[in-house]
Amino acid sequence: AGFFGFQVFNDLMNSSMNAGYIGSDGLGLSRDYYVDQDDDTKKKREMYQAHIARMLQEFGADEASAKADAAAILAFETSLAKPQMTKEMARDARNIYNLMSLDQLSELTPSINWKNFLSQIGAGEVSTVIVTDPGYFKAMDQVIKTSSLDDIKKYLRWTLIDNAAGILTTDLETANWEFYG
């Protein structure tokens, strides 16, 4: 959970082989909900922030700290959402097919030890990956470098809760469904 995801599926330029893809991940909403400024989107962001606070309270936070953390998490997610490609740009396979060596990826995002990450997830032999949004990864690196460790921990805790809510308790699954459903 958080920041990026790794998947393996057919290489878009050579369907006879598989490829590793690294793309943005870890947002509770799609990009447009963070960047659009119409009244409906603003209302949905308010509802999302309230949902985050509610879920944090389910995990032991008091109301005041849950609300403060939810605001920090929304701001953090917004900083990750803004540099992402628009959905229109991402529909064009030429924009999302950026084959890179691990050295190139490490130059783009030096804050992440890619060789260690891939080794830890069982993909240690991978030497090239397809980066679906290089602009995001460059910006993500800056977000990591300029954010407080406390805000990063809040964000990662939230992404873990958000991703696991549907498989924990019935109450958490219901609360998550009430927002996302």
Side-chain angles (χ1 to χ4, degrees):
F3 295 111
F4 57 87
F6 177 81
Q7 297 178 324
V8 175
F9 46 91
N10 287 355
D11 187 312
L12 290 174
M13 300 299 171
N14 181 357
S15 62
S16 67
M17 61 184 277
N18 288 330
Y21 289 78
I22 294 182
S24 60
D25 198 9
L27 299 180
L29 302 172
S30 64
R31 178 192 179 273
D32 292 348
Y33 287 111
Y34 296 95
V35 297
D36 291 352
Q37 296 302 316
D38 59 273
D39 290 340
D40 183 56
T41 304
K42 287 178 184 179
K43 178 72 173 157
K44 286 184 172 110
R45 276 195 301 269
E46 289 172 12
M47 293 169 60
Y48 179 57
Q49 187 171 328
H51 171 66
I52 295 170
R54 176 183 178 191
M55 296 297 279
L56 293 176
Q57 286 179 283
E58 292 288 337
F59 282 85
D62 63 71
E63 184 178 356
S65 63
K67 286 182 177 181
D69 287 355
I73 290 163
L74 179 60
F76 192 88
E77 286 188 2
T78 301
S79 72
L80 292 172
K82 285 181 178 179
Q84 289 183 4
M85 277 186 208
T86 64
K87 60 187 168 196
E88 293 81 13
M89 289 176 65
R91 286 185 190 128
D92 186 339
R94 294 170 296 189
N95 291 335
I96 63 169
Y97 192 90
N98 302 285
L99 185 65
M100 293 187 183
S101 69
L102 294 186
D103 288 339
Q104 290 171 313
L105 182 56
S106 293
E107 287 176 25
L108 189 64
T109 54
S111 296
I112 306 294
N113 182 334
W114 292 106
K115 289 179 183 177
N116 184 51
F117 168 75
L118 291 167
S119 174
Q120 293 298 315
I121 64 167
E125 289 114 30
V126 171
S127 60
T128 60
V129 293
I130 298 166
V131 180
T132 60
D133 190 347
Y136 167 77
F137 280 89
K138 186 174 183 170
M140 177 195 74
D141 195 68
Q142 288 304 307
V143 169
I144 291 170
K145 287 178 180 175
T146 59
S147 297
S148 72
L149 182 58
D150 189 47
D151 282 348
I152 292 171
K153 287 179 179 180
K154 288 174 188 173
Y155 163 73
L156 290 173
R157 182 173 187 247
W158 164 242
T159 61
L160 180 63
I161 291 168
D162 192 36
N163 286 320
I167 59 171
L168 297 174
T169 68
T170 301
D171 290 343
L172 290 172
E173 182 180 17
T174 300
N176 209 45
W177 174 255
E178 286 172 357
F179 176 74
Y180 286 112

